[in-house]
Amino acid sequence: IAPAPFIDFSGGIVKPPSFLVVFDIAIIMLVIASGIMIKKWPENDGGSSSGLLVGWVTLTSNPRIWVLGLIQACFEGAMYVFVFSWTPVLEHTAGDKAGAVHHGYVFATFMVCMMIGSNLLTVFVTYVAKKQATMASRTHTDPTQLVLLYTMAVSIVALLVPGIISSHFVTFISFCVFEVCVGIYIPAIA
């Protein structure tokens, strides 16, 4: 029995199936899902018919939107760099120990850390709001903004530590702390 042909975007159109077949199938599924969404999903515009021009005027007249965009770009850029670099960094700090980095366990741990972070957001925001209510301060910043500010600071430290301390365990723990910060960031920035 001959293997079924699959699209090879590097030149030929027929190749035997390999571990890349799932990505070919994912592309097909993505195209189908996109078509369904375009046809079936109504636009969620909040009930207004303001249009692109009003959006552009709002964007250009409010510097806070640009600051928010810059914050998102920087933090999410750090997240994506982390996504591509955690594996080689942990393998490097593990040294010559064969199989010292169990990528599945590490990734699962990172996902648990993100979940912990997203649950901590509510705890931290509630704590900050209660603390602000008891203080006689005239400047009350939104509790979520304060939590995000501290989250950014902790994220910076968490990503600096592996560059300073060359320990496999310390690097792994600092990466876990960063993932907790990512878990706080994602719902907070929304």
Side-chain angles (χ1 to χ4, degrees):
I1 297 176
F6 290 91
I7 298 171
D8 178 5
F9 294 107
S10 65
I13 74 160
V14 177
K15 68 176 183 177
S18 69
F19 67 92
L20 297 176
V21 169
V22 295
F23 296 104
D24 293 338
I25 294 170
I27 291 170
I28 294 167
M29 294 294 116
L30 181 62
V31 168
I32 291 170
S34 298
I36 292 170
M37 286 187 286
I38 289 169
K39 293 287 186 188
K40 300 290 184 184
W41 282 11
E43 179 62 35
N44 182 9
D45 60 4
S48 73
S49 58
S50 56
L52 185 61
L53 183 60
V54 173
W56 178 254
V57 169
T58 303
L59 182 66
T60 56
S61 65
N62 190 346
R64 292 176 57 126
I65 294 174
W66 290 96
V67 171
L68 177 63
L70 181 64
I71 290 168
Q72 283 184 291
C74 291
F75 191 87
E76 292 182 24
M79 279 181 5
Y80 295 127
V81 168
F82 173 80
V83 164
F84 289 108
S85 64
W86 72 262
T87 301
V89 169
L90 285 179
E91 286 174 352
H92 175 74
T93 59
D96 292 333
K97 303 173 201 159
V101 178
H102 300 284
H103 296 93
Y105 290 133
V106 171
F107 182 75
T109 304
F110 288 164
M111 294 302 101
V112 169
C113 289
M114 279 184 62
M115 189 171 55
I116 290 169
S118 65
N119 287 312
L120 284 175
L121 174 65
T122 306
V123 173
F124 291 157
V125 168
T126 303
Y127 173 78
V128 169
K130 285 180 182 177
K131 196 78 166 168
Q132 282 183 338
T134 61
M135 293 173 47
S137 174
R138 287 186 218 152
T139 58
H140 284 284
T141 306
D142 178 44
T144 306
Q145 289 178 355
L146 284 176
V147 170
L148 269 174
L149 180 65
Y150 291 122
T151 300
M152 300 281 178
V154 171
S155 298
I156 291 168
V157 172
L159 291 180
L160 280 175
V161 166
I164 298 169
I165 300 171
S166 181
S167 162
H168 183 68
F169 178 75
V170 171
T171 299
F172 176 69
I173 294 300
S174 68
F175 284 175
C176 288
V177 169
F178 178 71
E179 286 291 332
V180 169
C181 292
V182 169
I184 294 170
Y185 165 82
I186 290 173
I189 203 72

